Amino acid sequence: MKSHYSDAPAAEPIARHTLAVIVDNEPGVLARIAGLFSGRGYNIESLTVSETEHEKHLSRITIVTTGTANVIEQIKAQLARLVPVHRVNDLTVSGDAIERELVLVKVVGKGETRVEAMRLAQAFGARTVDATMTSFVFELTGTSDETERFINLMTGCGLTEVARTGIAAMGRGADPM
């Protein structure tokens, strides 16, 4: 006997997308974009914002989100319709983008634990930006996977605090956004 469930359509896969959005640098723009996401139940996994063209008063917002292909298309279309938005670029679709994240990690420990924290930081290429007799603050820039591995390893060495910037991303090659 045939099951009725075998005729059901396959669930659409959910994928992670990195969106670069150029906007006017003015009050309320970020709130409007965040409102667009929250109002429709979309999640923002990472968000970075900075003015990139001071003379033109433009900022670049990098948003990492997940969704089905239809949801991502809806997000891009709705972002593009907002008045202060100049451009929306899906870096995931447009090619192999460069993504980096900055993490600051505070580790507290003495003796062998302290030595192990220094060894791991050196292995990852992290910089020591603060050191006392009982603690370190390390700075690491890398992919989200690299920074996550570093944080996980430092947990065993006395990790007490983490600050992350979120993802900054840019498309490869000579073409501007």
Side-chain angles (χ1 to χ4, degrees), residues 116-127:
E116 182 64 10
M118 282 296 295
R119 188 187 69 73
L120 285 170
Q122 185 176 19
F124 274 82
R127 279 183 356 127

Side-chain angles (χ1 to χ4, degrees), residues 5 16 18 22 39 42 44 48 59 62 74 83 91 102 108 117 120 122-123 131 134 154 159 163 169 171:
Y5 296 107
R16 175 183 171 274
T18 302
I22 302 298
Y42 305 145
I44 296 174
T48 59
S59 290
T62 305
Q74 286 177 351
V83 171
L91 295 171
L102 169 73
V108 175
L120 285 170
Q122 185 176 19
T134 58
M154 285 297 178
L159 177 82

Side-chain angles (χ1 to χ4, degrees), residues 112-176:
E112 190 56 39
T113 304
R114 185 175 171 82
V115 172
E116 182 64 10
M118 282 296 295
R119 188 187 69 73
L120 285 170
Q122 185 176 19
F124 274 82
R127 279 183 356 127
T128 304
V129 292
D130 184 59
T132 69
M133 296 304 282
T134 58
S135 69
F136 291 109
V137 175
F138 299 111
E139 172 190 290
L140 178 69
T141 304
T143 65
S144 292
D145 288 344
E146 291 168 337
T147 57
E148 195 64 44
R149 277 196 321 275
F150 182 66
I151 291 166
N152 289 337
L153 288 170
M154 285 297 178
T155 301
C157 294
L159 177 82
T160 61
E161 191 175 346
V162 175
R164 297 172 88 156
T165 60
I167 294 171
M170 185 174 285
R172 294 182 184 272
D175 294 335

Side-chain angles (χ1 to χ4, degrees), residues 21-23 32-33 36 40 42 71-88:
V21 185
I22 302 298
V23 299
R32 291 180 65 192
I33 289 173
L36 182 151
R40 289 161 180 82
Y42 305 145
V71 166
I72 298 300
E73 288 305 314
Q74 286 177 351
I75 289 171
K76 292 188 306 191
Q78 290 164 357
L79 282 170
R81 279 196 291 271
L82 291 177
V83 171
V85 172
H86 293 267
R87 289 186 303 281
V88 177

Side-chain angles (χ1 to χ4, degrees), residues 20 60 89 91 94-99 169-177:
R60 182 182 181 119
N89 188 9
L91 295 171
S94 62
D96 191 23
I98 299 165
E99 294 186 0
M170 185 174 285
R172 294 182 184 272
D175 294 335
M177 185 179 137

